[in-house]
Amino acid sequence: MRSLRRHATTLILVVLAAAAAVVLLVLDRGSVSTDEAERRRKHLFEAWRPEEITELTVTMTFPSGLETARLTRGEVNDAGQRPWNVEIDGERYPADEPTVDQLLGTLEFATAERRVSAEAVDAAAFGLGAPRLTIAIAMGPRRERLLLGGSAPTPPGAVYAEVAGRGVFVITKQLAAALDIPPVRFRSRSFVPYLPSELSGLTLEGDGGPRRFSRAPWGGGRGAGFRFAEGAPEGSGVRVSAPAMERVLSALGRLQAEAFLSEEEAREAAASGGPRVTLTLLPGDPSAKPGVIDLGGACPDRPDHVVAVRREPTRAAACVPASALEPLTEEASRFVDLALVGAPLDEVAEVKLSVGERGEGGPGSLELARAGNEWHLRAPQDRPVPTETGRALVQAILDVRATRLLPTASDPRALGLDPPRATLRVLSTPPESAGEGEPRERIETLEIGAEQAGVVHVRRLEDGAIAEIPAAAAGALLPSEISLRSMKVFDFTPDQVNALRVERPGLVQRLRRTGDGAWQLVEPTGEGLAADGALADELADLLGALQAERWVAPDAGQGHGLAAPRLVVEAELTAAPGPGDPAGDPAAGSARVELGARAGAGSFARAGKGAPVFVAPPSLEAAAGRLLLRRDVFAVAPDDIARVTLTPAGGKPVVVEAAAGGFTLAGAADPAAATATAAGVRDALADLRAEGAVALGKPAPHHGLSPPRLRITVDLARPQPAPAAEGGAGAPRSPAGSLSIAIGAGDAFRGTNVVYARRDGVDAVYAIAQSRVRPLLEAAGVAGAR
């Protein structure tokens, strides 16, 4: 007790000192230090402490009255953030965080053009007595208040502003515009109450029919982790197409409120068309209410928007972009995943093929694993695999699509699945998801059945679905060591190609290089036919750098359509010149490719009889499957033209003549229009290059050339170069010093809208892009020129 009395005075003094320190600290929080004042000397606010800002009130004056948004900062959430909320007309909403951040950033760095002296201030004249904008800020113990008034005389667009306790300033037009944010803009535009990662499922009803989806146990990012909910007609638990679901989730992200509607406005708009889709979002949190949104009905004054009414968990109505509606109206069949493996290429870590009953392994089994960007074969050998080869093998597996899914109640034995011929296991590592309990590894197992009448059945163990695929496609699911060969088929340069031969049913084309390196057409023969050097070079280039999309089998046997190839390409090669052999060896060898049945976009192929089968890229057939005839047989240089006569079927001829000042339209009443039309004809003839030849010999009825829609006769001012058959440009001109072009029916050729055309002296029919011919048709007044 005596000791306590001895120290009592000391204890009391310590407590009083601590209390005084706390009082000083609290009081000092509201003051501005010298350093802070100097640092912010040019700013409107002499102190700015973002971490202490807890409330903002924005009041704006409109002709209809005042509108106010009161922004308050919430508690720290799970993400470590303090989200803002906004109160408008007594209703509380989540705030639009970017808009709040924009305002805070503008206020923090706001500076004045100049200060107005206290003696010159006239609050009423400056518009500060009834300000058009007031911003009040609660920043710890400090209270700031900014008022925006009327226009200042200079600089242009400047505005008077008052900071409570500091005085009146002039601010720039740009700063005033940045602060001019209507209160309603602070309300969050996000209309969907839950993020995709927070959903356990979702339902779509209305246009497109009922579609019910639930989160799948195999996980995966975004749209990859969904399946059809229990009782769905497509099959309970059947996997949903990741791209289709991704479109739905992206549509949810686009459901942003462009304008909020009153209940009455929403009812009237919805009544105009009625809701087209009702979207129900099922949150993963069992304590949270489902989100229910009706979409449909024309939005007032916004033709590219529709009305969205959120019924749960909170009620709201708004105009949202109409583009978000389309993915939500897709029929259920569009969501069925026909891919056998759902993982994307970059997530696949391991592929294991086990051949034999129940996948016990045996001859032909294979195991491939990835480490980073590299691939490694584990079985039947242990060796590295070229990156492009490993990727090609896996991509071929991922590209296999079912033609249809069978009912899960189908008899596996009758489908050749009991026992399976082989088992394919694909292990992938999907990106970590925010959802709890989702796996970090995904294992997809396929049971591959025996071939039956040209089809193979495959069971996806992940969802139990049974897929039917063409037998030819099943080869990708049964990779072998042949699949791991280098993807390079040939490796030679185009200038090593001495001759080309392309054979398809009913046609053989042969081209040979001349001494100067140009291409000469050997076969077929016909009047005016000549080789197109660019097309021949393209084919030689593709052949020399040919790579397999994937290797299929060691030997074709009688399969893959190679017993009777659709197309055969042969190249006669000259060895690359060496130091002692500058000309190369003209008998160095050859390269041969046979194309059989189609394999997706490409074709099954082999490099000669008995060679392994691979899938050739579609570009090879595109280059070799066309007539290699020169395409510039129609073009006529303007300097070679004396007169052009355009004669439409059943119409009067139109004559364009060359004159000293250019080209003119004979007999035209409007000289300016005539000059423009004549110039268009001149330019079109100079640019009249064909997309390609489509037929040899006489035209067929569907070419529309007997009679043509338009006959073009060009009288030449001077002789053209040597005939094409002797290596010159263009076809030989007629003895009369003119040439004639016939324009026929329209069609499509290799993705381009074309018309068929033929030139006298050239024994072939060509396709010319409609855009190149249109000026000629329009000048002749041909109906349907556009």
Side-chain angles (χ1 to χ4, degrees):
M1 181 67 72
R2 193 179 300 118
S3 175
L4 181 62
R5 292 196 194 98
R6 189 184 317 129
H7 296 292
T9 301
T10 302
L11 291 172
I12 291 170
L13 290 174
V14 170
V15 170
L16 289 174
V22 170
V23 170
L24 286 172
L25 178 63
V26 171
L27 292 175
D28 190 57
R29 285 178 61 201
S31 64
V32 180
S33 68
T34 303
D35 287 346
E36 188 176 19
E38 178 60 27
R39 191 169 62 250
R40 296 190 57 81
R41 181 167 50 87
K42 296 182 179 180
H43 292 82
L44 289 181
F45 298 102
E46 60 180 353
W48 192 263
R49 300 160 188 171
E51 68 283 355
E52 295 184 18
I53 298 176
T54 57
E55 185 174 321
L56 288 165
T57 302
V58 179
T59 301
M60 188 171 285
T61 302
F62 291 93
S64 57
L66 297 179
E67 291 186 12
T68 298
R70 179 172 171 266
L71 295 149
T72 54
R73 210 164 205 166
E75 298 298 323
V76 177
N77 59 20
D78 294 340
Q81 305 294 321
R82 296 181 61 193
W84 288 91
N85 296 297
V86 62
E87 184 180 311
I88 300 174
D89 294 335
E91 296 290 337
R92 189 178 175 87
Y93 310 102
D96 188 68
E97 298 284 341
T99 303
V100 178
D101 290 343
Q102 174 190 329
L103 176 62
L104 290 173
T106 302
L107 292 170
E108 178 178 4
F109 298 105
T111 58
E113 280 289 291
R114 64 181 183 273
R115 181 189 288 271
V116 180
S117 65
E119 297 79 14
V121 172
D122 184 337
F126 290 179
L128 295 170
R132 62 186 180 86
L133 175 66
T134 302
I135 302 175
I137 308 167
M139 186 165 49
R142 295 182 65 85
R143 296 295 181 269
E144 303 285 0
R145 193 161 174 263
L146 172 66
L147 288 72
L148 262 61
S151 299
T154 59
V159 170
Y160 287 112
E162 180 180 355
V163 179
R166 294 203 71 196
V168 176
F169 303 86
V170 173
I171 64 173
T172 63
K173 173 184 178 181
Q174 292 76 15
L175 175 56
L179 295 170
D180 197 7
I181 302 174
V184 71
R185 284 268 306 279
F186 291 101
R187 181 177 174 181
S188 174
R189 294 170 56 238
S190 180
F191 202 74
V192 177
Y194 303 113
L195 297 173
S197 59
E198 298 172 330
L199 298 178
S200 66
L202 60 93
T203 297
L204 297 168
E205 296 176 292
D207 288 8
R211 291 138 292 162
R212 298 187 294 120
F213 311 111
S214 63
R215 186 73 71 174
W218 50 81
R222 294 286 290 182
F226 285 86
R227 59 183 176 180
F228 283 95
E230 186 175 350
E234 294 71 26
S236 298
V238 169
R239 195 169 71 204
V240 168
S241 164
M245 182 54 71
E246 177 62 31
R247 288 192 291 273
V248 169
L249 299 181
S250 296
L252 300 187
R254 294 199 301 275
L255 288 181
Q256 299 286 315
E258 296 297 322
F260 288 97
L261 303 173
S262 67
E263 289 283 347
E264 183 178 352
E265 288 174 323
R267 278 195 300 271
E268 290 178 357
S272 66
R276 291 180 57 192
V277 173
T278 295
L279 169 66
T280 303
L281 304 173
L282 305 174
D285 182 356
S287 64
K289 288 184 177 181
V292 182
I293 301 174
D294 293 328
L295 289 161
C299 216
D301 302 322
R302 292 176 182 264
D304 54 347
H305 288 68
V306 294
V307 174
V309 177
R310 187 177 65 218
R311 292 189 270 134
E312 295 288 349
T314 57
R315 193 163 183 87
C319 293
V320 299
S323 61
L325 194 58
E326 183 178 350
L328 307 181
T329 59
E330 294 276 12
E331 295 181 355
S333 60
R334 301 291 295 273
F335 288 90
V336 176
D337 191 2
L338 296 177
L340 298 191
V341 176
L345 176 63
D346 291 339
E347 294 177 10
V348 174
E350 181 180 290
V351 172
K352 183 177 181 180
L353 172 70
S354 300
V355 177
E357 292 189 8
R358 301 300 175 192
E360 292 102 354
S365 297
L366 178 144
E367 187 172 347
L368 183 71
R370 185 176 66 182
N373 292 325
E374 303 299 321
W375 291 91
H376 195 93
L377 184 65
R378 292 176 178 166
Q381 303 174 20
D382 193 309
R383 63 178 175 86
V385 171
T387 299
E388 62 177 10
T389 302
R391 288 179 64 89
L393 182 150
V394 177
Q395 187 63 64
I397 293 172
L398 304 186
D399 287 342
V400 179
R401 295 287 188 276
T403 53
R404 63 181 181 127
L405 297 186
L406 276 61
T408 53
S410 302
D411 180 8
R413 184 173 294 277
L415 298 175
L417 285 165
D418 188 12
R421 174 173 34 154
T423 301
L424 184 68
R425 176 181 179 270
V426 178
L427 183 147
S428 59
T429 52
E432 191 169 352
S433 173
E436 294 184 5
E438 292 196 321
R440 296 193 178 185
E441 277 190 355
R442 179 180 182 183
I443 298 175
E444 299 180 68
T445 302
L446 305 179
E447 290 183 345
I448 304 161
E451 181 178 343
Q452 296 180 332
V455 300
V456 170
H457 295 101
V458 179
R459 178 160 46 196
R460 294 189 307 220
L461 297 192
E462 185 172 72
D463 63 350
I466 297 177
E468 182 177 283
I469 62 173
L477 303 177
L478 300 166
S480 63
E481 281 201 84
I482 190 70
S483 308
L484 299 172
R485 290 178 52 146
S486 168
M487 308 310 291
K488 193 175 290 294
V489 179
F490 296 128
D491 188 11
F492 54 83
T493 60
D495 55 10
Q496 288 179 253
V497 180
N498 197 43
L500 287 168
R501 183 179 187 276
V502 182
E503 180 181 354
R504 69 189 195 205
L507 176 66
V508 174
Q509 297 185 81
R510 292 170 53 218
L511 293 83
R512 182 169 294 278
R513 285 197 193 271
T514 61
D516 60 359
W519 288 98
Q520 182 179 31
L521 184 68
V522 179
E523 190 178 358
T525 58
E527 185 182 11
L529 300 184
D532 189 303
L535 294 180
D537 285 340
E538 179 186 352
L539 178 56
D541 186 38
L542 283 168
L543 199 61
L546 181 61
Q547 293 203 22
E549 292 196 340
R550 64 181 173 92
W551 292 96
V552 177
D555 191 285
Q558 296 299 309
H560 304 98
L562 289 164
R566 292 184 298 113
L567 192 65
V568 178
V569 185
E570 291 182 280
E572 180 184 295
L573 303 179
T574 298
D581 181 23
D585 179 3
S590 63
R592 176 186 172 96
V593 177
E594 302 172 357
L595 300 185
R598 298 199 180 277
S603 304
F604 291 114
R606 62 183 174 187
K609 301 290 185 184
V613 180
F614 63 95
V615 174
S619 57
L620 179 62
E621 183 170 356
R626 63 195 308 173
L627 288 166
L628 303 177
L629 302 180
R630 66 183 313 148
R631 294 163 290 173
D632 58 356
V633 297
F634 298 95
V636 185
D639 291 344
D640 292 339
I641 300 174
R643 180 183 296 102
V644 179
T645 304
L646 306 174
T647 307
K652 294 182 178 180
V654 174
V655 178
V656 174
E657 296 178 326
F663 284 77
T664 184
L665 196 63
D670 184 346
T675 300
T677 300
V681 170
R682 174 202 63 198
D683 295 343
L685 285 172
D687 191 40
L688 205 58
R689 181 181 179 84
E691 297 298 303
V694 296
L696 297 170
K698 296 185 180 298
H702 73 273
H703 293 143
L705 291 164
S706 300
R709 274 204 294 172
L710 175 67
R711 172 76 63 182
I712 305 167
T713 304
V714 182
D715 295 322
L716 301 171
R718 59 185 182 182
Q720 287 189 302
E726 299 174 11
R733 65 186 181 88
S734 68
S738 66
L739 62 91
S740 178
I741 299 170
I743 303 297
D747 205 343
F749 176 75
R750 295 179 179 267
T752 300
N753 291 326
V754 298
V755 294
Y756 293 117
R758 186 178 176 90
R759 174 177 167 171
D760 64 330
V762 181
D763 198 17
V765 178
Y766 287 80
I768 305 177
Q770 290 182 11
S771 59
R772 295 179 187 268
V773 178
R774 187 171 294 121
L776 301 169
L777 296 173
E778 291 176 345
V782 175
R786 290 191 175 276

